[in-house]
Amino acid sequence: MGRNLGLRLLKLIPALIEVLSFLVFPACAVAATGAELIQANCVGCHIPDGEGRLSHIANQRKTPEGWLMTITRMQLIHQLNINALDSADPVSEMVKHLADAQGLAPAESQPFRYILERRLNTIENLDDEHFAGVCSRCHTGARAALQRRNEEEWTRLIHFHLGQYPSIEYSSGGRDREWFKFALNEVVPWLTEHFPLESPAWSEWREAAKPVQTGAWRVIGTMPGRGEFAGYIEAEETAKDRYTVKFRGEFDSGEALQGEGDAIVYTGYEWRASLSLGNGEYRQVLAGSADGATMQGRMYLLDHEETGMDLTATRIAGSRLLAVTPNRIRAGTSAQVRLSGFGLEGEITSDPGLKVISIVEQGTDGAVVEIQSDADAAPGVRTIKFGGSALSPALTVYPKIDYIKVLPEVAMARVGGNGGSQTPVNAAFEAWGWSNGADGAANTEDDLRIGVFPATWSVHAWDEVAEKGDDVRYAGVIDPATGVFTSPAAGPNPDRPGGVNNFGNLAVVAEVKDGETTVRGEAHLMVTVQRWNNPPLR
């Protein structure tokens, strides 16, 4: 009888599990929440305390990308098998919950947004030895700075690093000191002080009302290699913090870019959108303002993160003049410029020294006008007014271009493709014109930054070694009109001496015409091998 009872109980186990699941996670038309998914997937290792706070998890705050990396690490290292319950995308739901409940305030993420926006050629300025000597020798300082922990969790992170990467004490930057002692006694207190778990900024943001991003937005942007852009975003909320997005606009050249996609807002301000625009798949990473009036950041191609657009989206309400492009005019000349905004009506005027001499076209979203600058107009920025809306600075008046800065000044590109798993990483450059200030010397504080100029682009060997290796021939090509550098194929090249890879050390040259004069500027481009580990935060 006991054996038969046992068999009957075994047959009931599936039904019992179903009942228990119903008790823990009630079945309903709504999919499992992020909190429920965390309970289902995390409590096996992370023990709740008396208040239900999960060990380790409760004492950290991160960006959406940071929490995604944490969950991914649990899957890769600890073989976490995600229990989806009834969620179509359980990882996304867990990231959403964690970023909302334990994210970063806008003021906390702002200094380090370059890593979220995939600005690959950013050179960090980390003077503190705790960052430079410990954190940023293996990854960016921003990766650590976009976390918040209490002292216990910062200590655990040091232990984790040593356990997971035991060579950390002996590699460059570690073997010149007692690394473990320095990390525990010096770095942990510093991190706890500068990136604490609790902060006034987070307390205020956590309690603040969060704006809804539904509505129409005017977009102003610029993309190296393609120029200035003006367009629109239309966002419609389909569920809390989830939107369908329509995007449309055109560059000053007349080239259109449009499409649609979806967006999620994390932590009340972190806008992440996936869009199909033209023939490309784009990712938008924007930070919304506390009042819900603007969103600012970058969007980039998913398969070429180095190719992207800096953009600002302004909610359409009232009348605003947002941009004048190009935003420069040489004294004593005339230029055709485009004014972009919304709700614009009335007369177009400017500061003394500038005069609108003709209107090519005009509408409520902008105008194209011809502007004349007086020959004796003083160098500096000017205001443009469109009816009751004024933009300052709108135009920069300059006497001449004294020198060119090519940006980025130092860039890195990578070989790729050719049957490998990593696509090439290209690079794009801009030629920024400057005028000397009153002291007549270049690169001093009183110099006037004018703006971006069209240029003729070329490359040459950076040094004698690059010249001897014929790097210009093998290490990629630059578009002479746009400044976009295309990296070469990966793999040993049998046509190159020694059969080596297509790496190179190049100088990027911009030549800008300024009247009868040509002004040159240079930047440094290193073409190197693939990067195989490309997490969201690097």
Side-chain angles (χ1 to χ4, degrees):
M1 179 177 176
R3 182 173 180 272
N4 291 336
L5 177 60
L7 289 173
R8 287 197 298 271
L9 288 173
L10 284 173
K11 293 179 181 179
L12 286 173
I13 285 177
L16 289 171
I17 291 175
E18 185 175 347
V19 171
L20 290 172
S21 298
F22 177 80
L23 292 174
V24 179
F25 306 113
C28 58
V30 179
T33 66
E36 292 168 340
L37 287 161
I38 288 168
Q39 287 292 320
N41 288 282
C42 304
V43 294
C45 297
H46 298 274
I47 310 303
D49 63 13
E51 299 178 0
R53 293 160 43 90
L54 300 185
S55 60
H56 307 321
I57 297 175
N59 292 320
Q60 301 180 41
R61 294 191 285 119
K62 300 178 183 180
T63 61
E65 289 79 2
W67 283 119
L68 175 60
M69 289 175 64
T70 296
I71 294 172
T72 302
R73 189 177 72 250
M74 296 300 109
Q75 293 175 288
L76 293 176
I77 296 179
H78 301 292
Q79 288 76 55
L80 171 64
N81 186 17
I82 298 289
N83 179 358
L85 300 180
D86 57 351
S87 172
D89 191 352
V91 172
S92 177
E93 292 293 338
M94 287 191 285
V95 169
K96 176 78 171 88
H97 174 79
L98 289 166
D100 286 351
Q102 296 167 227
L104 268 65
E108 293 175 319
S109 69
Q110 193 279 328
F112 307 100
R113 298 202 66 81
Y114 54 86
I115 191 174
L116 298 171
E117 297 168 359
R118 305 293 203 278
R119 299 182 185 273
L120 303 185
N121 285 310
T122 299
I123 298 177
E124 291 187 311
N125 183 20
L126 305 173
D127 294 331
D128 192 280
E129 66 170 327
H130 302 87
F131 257 159
V134 175
C135 299
S136 63
R137 65 190 177 98
C138 296
H139 54 70
T140 61
R143 179 164 163 175
L146 288 174
Q147 300 182 44
R148 298 295 185 271
R149 300 168 182 255
N150 63 11
E151 185 173 10
E152 181 182 6
E153 286 304 321
W154 282 121
T155 301
R156 290 181 184 276
L157 187 63
I158 298 297
H159 283 275
F160 165 80
H161 275 70
L162 188 58
Q164 191 69 33
Y165 312 106
S167 65
I168 197 169
E169 290 188 287
Y170 309 108
S171 56
S172 177
R175 58 178 175 262
D176 61 339
R177 67 193 71 192
E178 293 186 69
W179 185 90
F180 189 55
K181 182 185 294 185
F182 178 77
L184 289 179
N185 296 336
E186 302 292 335
V187 178
V188 167
W190 189 90
L191 291 170
T192 304
E193 177 186 354
H194 288 83
F195 307 122
L197 179 64
E198 299 297 336
S199 70
W202 175 242
S203 297
E204 292 173 11
W205 181 251
R206 187 169 46 196
E207 300 301 322
K210 309 301 189 295
V212 177
Q213 311 297 3
T214 292
W217 302 75
R218 190 73 159 113
V219 175
I220 302 297
T222 181
M223 179 181 287
R226 296 171 80 175
E228 307 298 327
F229 178 88
Y232 297 89
I233 288 175
E234 295 175 15
E236 181 179 350
E237 191 172 33
T238 57
K240 187 179 186 314
D241 292 336
R242 287 168 168 79
Y243 301 85
T244 57
V245 180
K246 294 182 179 179
F247 183 96
R248 60 183 173 87
E250 63 179 32
F251 295 92
D252 279 359
S253 64
E255 177 191 2
L257 185 65
Q258 63 182 22
E260 57 188 27
D262 300 286
I264 300 178
V265 174
Y266 301 91
T267 330
Y269 73 100
E270 291 281 14
W271 170 279
R272 303 291 186 270
S274 297
L275 305 174
S276 297
L277 305 178
N279 296 322
E281 298 296 321
Y282 286 81
R283 172 80 161 170
Q284 276 183 352
V285 179
L286 308 178
S289 61
D291 61 3
T294 61
M295 296 189 292
Q296 189 170 12
R298 184 172 182 262
M299 75 176 190
Y300 54 84
L301 281 169
L302 281 178
D303 58 350
H304 277 285
E305 297 172 344
E306 71 279 8
T307 301
M309 176 191 295
D310 296 340
L311 64 86
T312 299
T314 303
R315 190 185 295 276
I316 296 178
S319 174
R320 287 282 302 276
L321 176 60
L322 299 173
V324 176
T325 56
N327 61 348
R328 49 182 165 69
I329 185 169
R330 184 171 179 170
T333 68
S334 63
Q336 189 175 100
V337 298
R338 180 180 297 274
L339 284 62
S340 300
F342 53 82
L344 298 170
E345 294 180 341
E347 186 181 6
I348 301 171
T349 59
S350 62
D351 286 343
L354 296 178
K355 182 171 64 175
V356 177
I357 57 177
S358 68
I359 297 176
V360 180
E361 60 183 66
Q362 183 173 348
T364 57
D365 62 351
V368 176
V369 301
E370 190 84 12
I371 289 184
Q372 175 74 44
S373 171
D374 293 346
D376 59 353
V381 298
R382 299 292 193 275
T383 298
I384 298 292
K385 294 181 180 179
F386 198 141
S389 181
L391 177 65
S392 182
L395 275 176
T396 298
V397 178
Y398 67 98
K400 65 174 182 173
I401 303 172
D402 286 305
Y403 61 95
I404 292 291
K405 285 187 177 180
V406 176
L407 298 180
E409 293 182 284
V410 179
M412 183 176 291
R414 296 181 184 273
V415 302
N418 199 23
S421 62
Q422 302 299 309
T423 58
V425 176
N426 302 321
F429 297 88
E430 292 181 317
W432 283 80
W434 290 72
S435 285
N436 296 337
D439 62 6
N443 295 299
T444 57
E445 290 185 358
D446 67 345
D447 290 358
L448 176 66
R449 186 177 71 168
I450 306 168
V452 177
F453 285 83
T456 300
W457 297 90
S458 61
V459 297
H460 65 77
W462 179 257
D463 55 21
E464 292 181 2
V465 175
E467 187 172 356
K468 184 177 180 180
D470 207 1
D471 288 6
V472 171
R473 178 181 177 186
Y474 294 107
V477 296
I478 194 165
D479 188 311
T482 65
V484 174
F485 179 87
T486 301
S487 296
N493 186 346
D495 295 330
R496 194 169 191 183
V500 297
N501 215 320
N502 289 318
F503 59 83
N505 193 11
L506 303 174
V508 175
V509 180
E511 296 183 321
V512 176
K513 295 289 290 184
D514 185 37
E516 299 300 318
T517 304
T518 298
V519 189
R520 288 167 51 97
E522 286 194 3
H524 188 189
L525 172 63
M526 292 168 281
V527 184
T528 186
V529 297
Q530 305 95 314
R531 176 180 172 131
W532 301 102
N533 180 19
N534 294 290
L537 302 178
R538 297 167 194 172

